């Protein structure tokens, strides 16, 4: 057996273990009884240590050194070696006991977060969240020393390989300066349009679910390899060929949960479209979270908040709920789905104000990882940041610093990928619609195949064979350009006034 073949077999086994961890994480978030949390935490900790042990096996380093000299490998195999080397370098920076401690701490903290969020009790969560933060700082320092990065950049690198906070600071500072004035312009343009007519509920959960499933099918979701469920915080998880998405429902407002389903379906389509020939290998994985978030936001924001989509969706929604009146017309629904108004909740935020939510979290988590602020000061710092960026102050921590699962579950460094993803989504959708003139007419008739085919070729099927910058440049002809995102916002929120 060649060194490359040995590596491939080893990582196939590792992938099977990762798949089991993924399904247990989904179960933990979606259906596991609260009383099972401690034992589940122990199980996940053990599995994560076993995974870490496989990743850091000394044989991996030996196989890599030998395989990297094999001139007979193809481009995909060489890209796989590059990805294996990247993962191996990162994982060998952390000791197994730190992996176990972090896994246990995040499992416990995530369960505690659910109750704390419901009760708006930040002080009650603080001890567990402090432990998670302490361990994340240790992980960041260990990885940073190995990679010659700051602790925060080392954590960011897990979600955005090659991403650096210095570059993000420039992009986000520019957006933070641009958005307040643009938001005022967008709201002024909005005020010149007719008021959005009401939609009279209630909207039964089962009907909302049926509508979501219908839209998922239209988008191209494969129900033989995935499912829809409910959780406190919507997410996409599961494993290879078993992609599980969740949403949450509100019988007074179906519009938010439906867009949540469409958002997570974008993630799921990416997972279901990864290159099958390299499934179970690092090169077959998604290319980092800014690309992943671009796929969810391309579907939700670019495609499904367009006039074309709502031309198709309006009669489907109206029939599903037995609606009548002007609120169910396509133009009224478009105005509802593109309404700009600063709000407290990130996942419910409109496209214009959403980046401010991300910029706030990014700045706070950077300060916390750097130990430049005390975790106990987070609620006050959050309130100050919301006031500065959006002009509003949350009335309680449930609608403030407790709203997201990311920090309790150990997702430090993830937040900036949302806005990087929004910018990437705008650029990809612009390129797709320029390349195929049938994409927008297809969306208007409920046919997403032209769009999905372009994404399969230019994003999904690439796996991790290219860097994020190279993937975007190959697909669109240029690296990430904030001007495309700004131009999209202007077209939608100013030009269509």
């Amino acid at each position: 057996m060649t060194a490359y073949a040995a590596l491939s077999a080893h990582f196939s086994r590792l992938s099977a273990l990762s798949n089991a961890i993924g399904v247990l994480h989904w179960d933990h978030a979606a259906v596991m009884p609260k009383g099972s949390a401690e034992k589940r935490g122990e199980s996940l900790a053990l599995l994560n240590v076993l995974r870490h042990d496989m990743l850091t096996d000394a044989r991996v380093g030996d196989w890599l050194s030998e395989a990297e000299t094999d001139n007979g490998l193809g481009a995909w195999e060489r890209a796989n070696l590059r990805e294996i080397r990247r993962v191996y370098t990162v994982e060998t920076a952390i000791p197994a006991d730190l992996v176990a401690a972090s896994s246990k701490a995040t499992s416990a903290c995530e369960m505690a977060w659910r109750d704390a969020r419901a009760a708006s009790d930040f002080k009650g969560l603080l001890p567990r969240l402090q432990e998670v933060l302490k361990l994340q700082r240790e992980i960041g320092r260990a990885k940073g020393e190995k990679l010659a990065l700051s602790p925060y950049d080392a954590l960011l690198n897990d979600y955005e390989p090659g991403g650096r906070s210095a570059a993000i600071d420039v992009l986000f500072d520019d957006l933070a300066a641009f958005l307040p004035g643009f938001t005022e312009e967008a709201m002024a343009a909005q005020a010149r349009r007719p008021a959005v007519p009401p939609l009279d509920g209630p909207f039964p959960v089962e009907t909302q679910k049926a509508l979501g499933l219908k839209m998922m099918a239209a988008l191209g979701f494969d129900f033989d390899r995935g499912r829809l469920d409910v959780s406190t915080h919507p997410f996409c998880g599961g494993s290879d060929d078993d992609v599980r998405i969740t949403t949450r429902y509100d019988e007074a407002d179906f519009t938010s949960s439906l867009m949540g389903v469409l958002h997570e379906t974008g993630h799921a389509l990416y997972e279901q479209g990864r290159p099958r020939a390299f499934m179970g290998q690092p090169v077959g994985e998604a290319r980092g979270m800014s690309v992943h978030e671009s796929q969810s936001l391309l579907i939700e924001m670019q495609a499904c908040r367009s006039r074309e989509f709502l031309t198709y969706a309006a009669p489907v929604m109206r029939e599903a709920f037995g609606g009548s009146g002007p609120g169910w017309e396509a133009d009224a629904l478009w105005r509802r789905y593109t309404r700009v108004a600063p709000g407290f909740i990130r996942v419910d935020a409109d496209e214009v104000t959403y980046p401010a939510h991300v910029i706030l979290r990014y700045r706070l988590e950077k300060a916390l990882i750097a130990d430049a602020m005390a975790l106990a000061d987070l609620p006050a710092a959050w309130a100050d940041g919301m006031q500065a960026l959006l002009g509003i102050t949350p009335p309680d921590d449930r609608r403030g610093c407790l709203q997201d699962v990311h920090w309790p579950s150990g997702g430090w460094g993830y937040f900036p990928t949302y806005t990087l993803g929004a910018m990437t989504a705008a650029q990809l959708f612009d390129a797709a619609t320029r390349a195929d003139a049938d994409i927008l007419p297809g969306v208007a008739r409920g046919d997403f195949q032209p769009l999905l085919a372009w994404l399969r070729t230019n994003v999904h099927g690439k796996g991790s064979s290219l860097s994020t910058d190279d993937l975007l440049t190959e697909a669109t002809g240029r690296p990430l350009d904030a001007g495309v995102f700004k131009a999209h916002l202007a077209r939608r929120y100013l030009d269509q006034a």
Side-chain angles (χ1 to χ4, degrees):
M1 182 183 291
T2 66
Y4 180 83
L7 276 172
S8 181
H10 186 77
F11 274 81
S12 290
R13 292 192 295 273
L14 181 58
S15 176
L17 179 57
S18 296
N19 284 336
I21 293 170
V23 173
L24 284 174
H25 271 299
W26 166 85
D27 179 87
H28 180 273
V31 298
M32 186 191 76
K34 187 191 303 185
S36 305
E38 184 176 352
K39 286 298 180 185
R40 176 60 52 82
E42 292 174 1
S43 298
L44 283 169
L46 175 59
L47 290 172
N48 278 310
V49 168
L50 292 174
R51 178 179 178 276
H52 176 76
D53 288 346
M54 289 185 70
L55 280 169
T56 58
D57 188 324
R59 293 177 301 169
V60 172
D62 295 337
W63 288 328
L64 272 169
S65 296
E66 184 178 345
E68 286 167 344
T69 66
D70 186 345
N71 295 323
L73 298 177
W76 275 84
E77 287 77 13
R78 300 208 72 78
N80 197 32
L81 286 180
R82 182 199 68 219
E83 290 301 300
I84 292 173
R85 172 67 72 183
R86 180 180 66 81
V87 173
Y88 178 71
T89 300
V90 170
E91 286 296 322
T92 52
I94 347 169
D97 59 348
L98 183 53
V99 172
S102 178
S103 181
K104 288 180 181 178
T106 55
S107 291
C109 192
E110 182 180 339
M111 290 301 293
W113 164 79
R114 298 181 197 181
D115 291 336
R117 176 181 177 272
S120 193
D121 181 15
F122 178 77
K123 287 183 178 179
L125 183 66
L126 184 56
R128 290 193 183 278
L129 189 58
Q130 188 72 63
E131 178 65 12
V132 169
L133 174 57
K134 178 179 78 71
L135 294 168
Q136 286 294 304
R137 286 171 176 161
E138 289 181 31
I139 291 170
R141 283 194 296 270
K143 290 180 177 179
E145 289 173 7
K146 189 72 171 281
L147 300 172
L149 296 173
S150 71
Y152 183 81
D153 278 359
L155 296 173
L156 169 68
N157 189 66
D158 287 344
Y159 303 105
E160 186 60 15
R164 300 293 180 264
S165 57
I168 294 172
D169 286 343
V170 173
L171 287 170
F172 283 11
D173 288 349
D174 175 65
L175 275 180
F178 164 78
L179 286 171
F182 184 85
T183 301
E184 289 183 9
E185 288 185 70
M187 293 178 70
Q190 178 177 272
R192 294 191 292 270
R193 301 177 192 141
V196 178
L199 295 174
D200 295 327
F203 306 102
V205 167
E206 285 305 311
T207 307
Q208 291 190 53
K209 181 178 180 180
L211 176 63
L213 292 169
K214 185 169 186 174
M215 293 298 180
M216 289 168 68
L219 285 164
F221 184 89
D222 182 355
F223 287 98
D224 287 335
R225 297 190 295 139
R227 55 182 288 138
L228 170 67
D229 292 281
V230 177
S231 67
T232 303
H233 196 291
F235 71 98
C236 173
S239 65
D240 296 343
D241 284 338
D242 184 6
V243 183
R244 305 183 179 198
I245 70 170
T246 68
T247 191
R248 57 191 182 203
Y249 298 105
D250 178 356
E251 291 201 334
D253 175 20
F254 78 89
T255 60
S256 178
S257 68
L258 178 59
M259 281 297 161
V261 169
L262 297 172
H263 178 99
E264 300 304 336
T265 299
H267 281 303
L269 293 174
Y270 190 7
E271 288 296 314
Q272 292 183 338
R274 293 189 286 116
R276 297 203 65 78
F278 287 89
M279 196 71 75
Q281 297 297 310
V283 74
E285 296 292 329
R287 172 65 286 170
M289 292 315 302
S290 70
V291 178
H292 227 310
E293 290 300 338
S294 81
Q295 296 310 284
S296 59
L297 291 166
L298 187 149
I299 294 298
E300 179 202 352
M301 291 294 186
Q302 298 291 323
C304 293
R305 293 182 192 255
S306 67
R307 286 191 182 276
E308 288 82 3
F309 174 76
L310 289 160
T311 297
Y312 151 69
V316 179
M317 295 177 184
R318 185 166 57 244
E319 180 181 1
F321 294 107
S324 62
W328 294 95
E329 297 300 320
D331 181 68
L333 287 167
W334 178 82
R335 282 182 279 128
R336 178 176 295 277
Y337 271 123
T338 56
R339 182 174 178 270
V340 177
F344 303 119
I345 306 300
R346 175 185 61 84
V347 297
D348 295 335
D350 60 80
E351 189 176 19
V352 174
T353 61
Y354 189 99
H357 289 266
V358 173
I359 291 167
L360 169 66
R361 289 155 173 78
Y362 167 68
R363 289 173 173 174
L364 291 173
E365 71 177 8
K366 267 210 315 176
L368 287 164
I369 291 296
D371 206 7
M373 68 174 281
L375 186 58
D377 295 334
L378 178 61
W382 186 288
D384 290 345
M386 284 290 286
Q387 184 62 45
L389 287 165
L390 288 169
I392 56 176
T393 302
D396 51 49
D397 291 337
R398 181 177 65 83
R399 284 169 284 188
C401 62
L402 287 177
Q403 65 185 267
D404 299 302
V405 70
H406 301 61
W407 292 336
S409 64
W412 297 75
Y414 189 112
F415 276 121
T417 67
Y418 285 116
T419 290
L420 295 174
M423 297 165 70
T424 302
Q427 194 161 319
L428 288 169
F429 195 69
D430 177 73
T433 53
R434 290 177 188 274
D436 187 344
D438 195 40
I439 285 178
L440 285 173
V443 170
R445 59 180 183 266
D447 177 9
F448 289 85
Q449 284 310 304
L451 175 59
L452 185 58
W454 191 91
L455 292 172
R456 290 283 194 250
T457 299
N458 291 282
V459 181
H460 304 170
K462 300 291 186 183
S464 283
S465 64
L466 301 172
S467 69
T468 300
D469 288 344
D470 287 348
L471 184 150
L472 189 58
T473 300
E474 190 174 289
T476 71
R478 55 182 152 175
L480 186 62
D481 182 353
V484 180
F485 179 59
K486 292 178 182 178
H488 156 70
L489 293 179
R491 281 193 304 272
R492 176 170 285 177
Y493 295 96
L494 302 183
D495 297 349
Q496 297 187 48

